[in-house]
Every structure is written in C-alpha cells, then in structure tokens.
C-alpha cells in the first residue's frame, strides 16, 4: 500500500538531504508503478496526484501518462479533474499518448455537465495539435 499524498509531502519535506529525498521519491515511484501494473483502480486518482507532486519537484513521471488517460475516461468528475490536470502537466503536444485523448475530449465537449465541458476546453487550449483541433472543430 502506498502513501497518501499528504503523507508523501510530509516525508519529502522532512528530508534533510537531496539523497534522502531521492530515496523517498524512488520508493514511492516503485509503489506507484506496482499499483499501475496491478490495475488498482481505487487508488488511481491518488497515484496520479502523487505523480503530479513528483513532477513539480522535477522527477520523471512519464510512466503515469496512460493513467491520466484512464482517469479522463472515467464517468466521475473528481477523477476526470485529476486526469485532465495530469494530462495537461505530464503530456506535451508531441506525446504519442495524446492521440488517445481525442475521443474522450470529444465526448466531454458534448457533455451536459458544463464543468466537464470546461475541463475539456481547458485541456484543448493547453495541448491541442493542429490535427486534434481539426478533429474536434465540429464539436
């Protein structure tokens, strides 16, 4: 079982040296990778939030890109919100994974929930390529 985000932040802040911080991050990254491999859906949003924290600290988090896509496809708003945030931070316009998001973006743009449509619009504004914009223009 991996740590909660709050506990991870406390552990990182309590580190006295950079080597100690790297050890904490490496241990938690390994636990997150294990959770991804085992398809632990109940902790997916928590793990992506921890990856975002690690990303802000400058550690590699590319292994969480597909988890963001899975959260974006979720029907629940809190999970979608973390997924879109992760997608905007962890992906760039050149990422191959971004093409997988086009269908989810199209569905969310047509959502009755204005907050979900807003998340999709924000993601398009940050990540859209010319091809993706062409595909999503009719929506």
């Amino acid at each position: 079982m991996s740590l909660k985000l709050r506990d991870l932040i406390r552990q990182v802040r309590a580190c006295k040296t950079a080597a100690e911080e790297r050890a904490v991050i490496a241990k938690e990254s390994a636990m997150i990778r294990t959770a991804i491999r085992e398809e632990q859906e109940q902790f997916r949003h928590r793990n992506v939030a921890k990856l975002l924290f690690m990303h802000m600290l400058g550690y590699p988090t590319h292994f969480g890109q597909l988890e963001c896509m899975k959260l974006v496809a979720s029907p629940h708003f809190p999970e979608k919100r973390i997924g879109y945030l992760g997608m905007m931070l962890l992906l760039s316009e050149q990422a191959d994974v971004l093409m997988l998001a086009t269908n989810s973006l199209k569905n969310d743009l047509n959502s009755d929930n204005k907050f979900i449509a807003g998340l999709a619009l924000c993601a398009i504004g940050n990540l859209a390529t010319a091809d993706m914009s062409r595909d999503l223009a009719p929506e």
Side-chain angles (χ1 to χ4, degrees):
M1 171 83 178
S2 61
L3 300 170
K4 291 184 178 180
L5 176 61
R6 181 178 298 147
D7 297 332
L8 175 64
I9 293 170
R10 283 187 182 135
Q11 279 190 3
V12 168
R13 289 178 130 189
C15 294
K16 304 273 190 254
T17 64
E20 193 177 336
E21 179 182 303
R22 282 191 299 271
V24 168
I25 295 295
K27 180 181 175 190
E28 191 60 31
S29 290
M31 294 179 98
I32 291 171
R33 282 189 188 99
T34 302
I36 289 171
R37 240 180 279 116
E38 294 174 356
E39 292 286 324
Q40 296 178 357
E41 291 184 29
Q42 69 271 24
F43 300 120
R44 187 173 283 153
H45 62 282
R46 179 189 293 176
N47 289 335
V48 170
K50 288 187 285 189
L51 286 173
L52 294 176
F53 176 68
M54 291 177 198
H55 178 76
M56 288 189 294
L57 293 176
Y59 293 97
T61 56
H62 59 277
F63 58 91
Q65 293 175 346
L66 279 176
E67 292 300 296
C68 293
M69 295 298 126
K70 291 175 186 175
L71 284 175
V72 166
S74 169
H76 307 291
F77 179 74
E79 291 179 357
K80 271 189 185 296
R81 185 174 54 190
I82 293 287
Y84 274 116
L85 181 61
M87 192 169 76
M88 287 185 275
L89 290 176
L90 300 180
L91 298 178
S92 67
E93 291 178 1
Q94 291 81 28
D96 295 333
V97 180
L98 194 56
M99 295 315 295
L100 299 173
T102 306
N103 193 37
S104 293
L105 285 166
K106 190 177 287 191
N107 292 339
D108 289 345
L109 283 173
N110 292 325
S111 174
D112 293 334
N113 187 335
K114 64 183 177 182
F115 299 111
I116 292 175
L119 287 173
L121 281 171
C122 189
I124 290 169
N126 283 305
L127 293 171
T129 61
D131 294 334
M132 184 185 286
S133 299
R134 225 175 289 116
D135 292 341
L136 294 172
E139 307 308 318

